[in-house]
Amino acid sequence: MSYIQFNGYDSSDDLIITKPIVRPTWGQAITETTLPGNTRSVIQKLDCYENAEFTIDAVIKDATPDNVHRIYAALSGFGKLLISTAPPEELDVWIKPITPEAVALLMAEIKINVIARPFAMALIPTITALSSESTIIKNTGTVFATPTIRLKATAGTAKIMVNGEEFIIEVPSELIGKEIIVDCDNQVTYYIDGNGKNSINNRTYNDYPLLHIGNNYCKYSGTVTSAEIELRERWL
């Protein structure tokens, strides 16, 4: 029997999934342009991917008012979705029941709408220590990956090089020995203290690194004393 997990909620205790859930796939968005004075159109692929939408159909095992209300509350909002019948990966989704709660209470059936952002991501990241010598990081996904890089450095210019492109951080003396986190997906560089996350984007230069499909060559230089790169492969 299939099940879903969403932000810590497990459907196996409450729902019976009545139709197979097919994990969506993504293709590049396209645009169609009509040429002036011509009946033909030009179709072009865009450098972006559109959200994918699907539904989940289920029967509620025990459709009491409290249970139905709890299920509706759990399966609403944005978060991480795992589908038991898919590979070990998760989706970033917006999820919302589209069956009115009163109808679900009466019929013990629920239909859930899911809008998934690109792409499917590996559940468990691959973490590799970097050095001043080139290290090969293999991205086995089917699309580029946005890694997380964690490093420590002394004061001065810290450099992370990925495939020949440098990402530079000017490290102040007060951050000596502190862990600096480079979140390439959200394009923010920060450190954590008692007040939470503190951005140091104003001390960074150049584009955030991307890991291409296949082999990537990574190393550090400058004032970096240690670094590791966390790769979560992504699939179309």
Side-chain angles (χ1 to χ4, degrees):
M1 185 184 299
S2 62
Y3 63 89
I4 60 171
Q5 293 177 345
F6 177 70
N7 287 351
Y9 170 80
D10 191 320
S11 73
S12 56
D13 294 332
D14 298 315
L15 303 176
I16 299 172
I17 307 295
T18 56
K19 294 181 181 179
I21 304 172
V22 179
R23 197 269 274 168
T25 58
W26 291 267
Q28 283 180 280
I30 61 172
T31 181
E32 185 173 351
T33 304
T34 302
L35 299 176
N38 197 321
T39 57
R40 299 178 61 186
S41 299
V42 175
I43 297 176
Q44 294 177 309
K45 286 186 176 181
L46 304 178
D47 291 330
C48 63
Y49 296 83
E50 296 180 340
N51 294 336
E53 188 169 3
F54 61 99
T55 58
I56 299 170
D57 294 274
V59 170
I60 302 172
K61 294 180 181 179
D62 184 13
T64 64
D66 286 346
N67 277 347
V68 171
H69 186 71
R70 177 177 53 82
I71 292 166
Y72 270 63
L75 296 178
S76 297
F78 179 79
K80 304 288 186 182
L81 177 69
L82 181 147
I83 302 171
S84 65
T85 52
E89 57 195 26
E90 63 184 11
L91 309 174
D92 284 329
V93 304
W94 290 270
I95 191 168
K96 181 181 180 180
I98 54 178
T99 304
E101 191 169 335
V103 174
L105 183 62
L106 179 65
M107 304 296 294
E109 295 178 352
I110 185 173
K111 185 183 288 288
I112 304 159
N113 178 251
V114 182
I115 299 175
R117 292 174 55 186
F119 306 93
M121 294 175 289
L123 275 177
I124 302 174
T126 301
I127 299 174
T128 305
L130 301 182
S131 73
S132 57
E133 301 295 326
S134 188
T135 300
I136 296 177
I137 308 294
K138 188 171 184 179
N139 176 12
T140 60
T142 58
V143 69
F144 67 88
T146 51
T148 298
I149 302 167
R150 302 174 186 270
L151 63 96
K152 291 183 179 180
T154 57
T157 303
K159 299 179 181 180
I160 298 292
M161 181 174 287
V162 176
N163 297 325
E165 301 291 332
E166 286 185 339
F167 182 76
I168 296 173
I169 307 169
E170 292 295 339
V171 180
S173 58
E174 59 266 27
L175 293 187
I176 294 175
K178 289 185 178 292
E179 183 178 66
I180 297 172
I181 301 167
V182 182
D183 181 345
C184 298
D185 192 32
N186 294 303
Q187 298 199 351
V188 61
T189 301
Y190 63 94
Y191 67 94
I192 299 175
D193 62 12
N195 297 317
K197 295 181 180 180
N198 299 273
S199 172
I200 54 170
N201 274 11
N202 61 330
R203 294 182 174 274
T204 65
Y205 302 91
N206 301 335
D207 294 333
Y208 278 79
L210 298 176
L211 298 178
H212 307 303
I213 301 169
N215 290 342
N216 295 266
Y217 301 87
C218 310
K219 66 179 183 179
Y220 63 71
S221 62
T223 63
V224 178
T225 57
S226 65
E228 65 180 27
I229 188 165
E230 179 180 300
L231 164 64
R232 294 186 68 193
E233 287 94 345
R234 309 195 294 184
W235 293 275
L236 292 171

